[in-house]
C-alpha cells in the first residue's frame, strides 16, 4: 500500500510552478519525491526537479480536496492504479470501477496527457513535445493507451461485446499492437498515434486475417 504524502511533501507539490512543474525544497525532500515517482531530476545543469505525470496528478488531487464541494457531488474518484499506485491509462478490456467513468475520468486523462507533454518537454534533448520521451519508450502500452484515451477514443470494456480499442504488447521490444472493432476506428487510431509522435501502420494477422495497427515511438 502506498504511503500517504507528508504535510511537507503536499506543500512542495502544491507550490510547484503551475506551468513547468518545477519544484523547490531541500535535497532530501526532493529525493524523497523522486523515489516515490512524483518528481524527476533534470539531467542537465542546474539539475532542477520537476513533477512527473504522477506528481501532477497528486497536485490536482490535493487541489480538489481543498476546494469545497456541493453536497450532491460525489467525492473525486481515485485514478485506476498500476502496480506503482499511479495513474494508468486504459489499454482496453480491463475492469474499471464505475466511479472512474464520466467527466471525472475525462479530467484525469486530460491532466495526465498534459503532464506527459511537459515530461517530453523537460526530458527530450531538444525540448520537443511532438515525439515520445524515454519514459514512454519503457512503458509502451501505457503511453500508447494514454495518447488514444486523451484523444477521445473509447477503450474496450471488460464485458463481452463491449467494443473499443485494445493496446497490447508484442514480441517486438519497441512496438505495441492496437486492435479496434472496425476499419474506420482502426484508421482513426493510426491518425491519433501519428499525431502524438508514433509511427503506426496497419497489418493483417496471418491466422485470423483481422487488421491491426503496429505502433512504435518515433525517434526523430
Amino acid at each position: 500500500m502506498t504511503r500517504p504524502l507528508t504535510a511537507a511533501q503536499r506543500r512542495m507539490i502544491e507550490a510547484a510552478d503551475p506551468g513547468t512543474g518545477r519544484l523547490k525544497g531541500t535535497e532530501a525532500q526532493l529525493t524523497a519525491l523522486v523515489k516515490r515517482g512524483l518528481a524527476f531530476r533534470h539531467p542537465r545543469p542546474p539539475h532542477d526537479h520537476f513533477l512527473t505525470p504522477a506528481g501532477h496528478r497528486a497536485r490536482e488531487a490535493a487541489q480538489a480536496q481543498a476546494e469545497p464541494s456541493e453536497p450532491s457531488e460525489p467525492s473525486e474518484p481515485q485514478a485506476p492504479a498500476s502496480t506503482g499506485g499511479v495513474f494508468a491509462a486504459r489499454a482496453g478490456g480491463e475492469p474499471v470501477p464505475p466511479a472512474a467513468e464520466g467527466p471525472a475520468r475525462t479530467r484525469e486523462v486530460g491532466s495526465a496527457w498534459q503532464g506527459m507533454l511537459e515530461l517530453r518537454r523537460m526530458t527530450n534533448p531538444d525540448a520537443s513535445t511532438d515525439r515520445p520521451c524515454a519514459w514512454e519508450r519503457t512503458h509502451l502500452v501505457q503511453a500508447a493507451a494514454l495518447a488514444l484515451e486523451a484523444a477521445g477514443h473509447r477503450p474496450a470494456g471488460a464485458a463481452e461485446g463491449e467494443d473499443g480499442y485494445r493496446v497490447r504488447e508484442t514480441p517486438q521490444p519497441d512496438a505495441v499492437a492496437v486492435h479496434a472493432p472496425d476499419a474506420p476506428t482502426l484508421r482513426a487510431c493510426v491518425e491519433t498515434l501519428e499525431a502524438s509522435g508514433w509511427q503506426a501502420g496497419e497489418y493483417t494477422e496471418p491466422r485470423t486475417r483481422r487488421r491491426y495497427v503496429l505502433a512504435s515511438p518515433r525517434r526523430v
Side-chain angles (χ1 to χ4, degrees):
M1 185 174 180
T2 304
R3 299 190 312 277
L5 294 173
T6 66
Q9 289 172 335
R10 285 196 301 271
R11 288 194 296 270
M12 285 177 60
I13 290 174
E14 291 172 5
D17 184 278
T20 65
R22 182 172 177 270
L23 291 157
K24 294 181 180 180
T26 67
E27 192 65 29
Q29 290 172 327
L30 294 168
T31 300
L33 290 179
V34 170
K35 289 181 178 179
R36 299 192 62 161
L38 301 175
F40 69 94
R41 184 174 183 264
H42 199 281
R44 296 194 299 270
H47 302 298
D48 288 332
H49 289 72
F50 299 85
L51 291 176
T52 62
H56 281 282
R57 176 67 197 135
R59 180 169 64 177
E60 293 238 341
Q63 291 172 344
Q65 291 175 0
E67 295 175 356
S69 58
E70 298 179 6
S72 59
E73 288 290 324
S75 58
E76 183 76 10
Q78 293 184 350
S82 68
T83 54
V86 298
F87 172 87
R90 291 186 59 184
E94 67 273 69
V96 178
E101 298 294 321
R105 177 64 184 180
T106 301
R107 291 194 298 271
E108 287 183 340
V109 174
S111 175
W113 179 245
Q114 290 304 312
M116 184 59 67
L117 292 179
E118 183 61 22
L119 190 60
R120 288 182 178 186
R121 189 180 75 82
M122 297 308 306
T123 59
N124 279 334
D126 58 355
S128 173
T129 61
D130 63 359
R131 71 175 187 277
C133 62
W135 185 93
E136 292 169 276
R137 298 179 195 283
T138 58
H139 299 77
L140 294 172
V141 171
Q142 278 294 302
L146 177 57
L148 292 172
E149 192 175 358
H153 295 277
R154 182 169 60 88
E160 188 71 25
E162 290 187 13
D163 281 328
Y165 71 77
R166 288 176 168 82
V167 184
R168 297 293 182 264
E169 294 181 347
T170 73
Q172 299 185 38
D174 62 345
V176 293
V178 180
H179 304 269
D182 52 57
T185 303
L186 197 65
R187 200 166 301 115
C189 289
V190 170
E191 293 174 356
T192 291
L193 289 168
E194 288 180 340
S196 301
W198 293 68
Q199 294 175 319
E202 293 187 42
Y203 298 86
T204 301
E205 293 179 343
R207 185 173 59 84
T208 65
R209 308 307 299 171
R210 291 185 61 182
R211 299 285 285 173
Y212 71 100
V213 169
L214 193 65
S216 59
R218 184 166 54 84
R219 294 189 177 276
V220 294

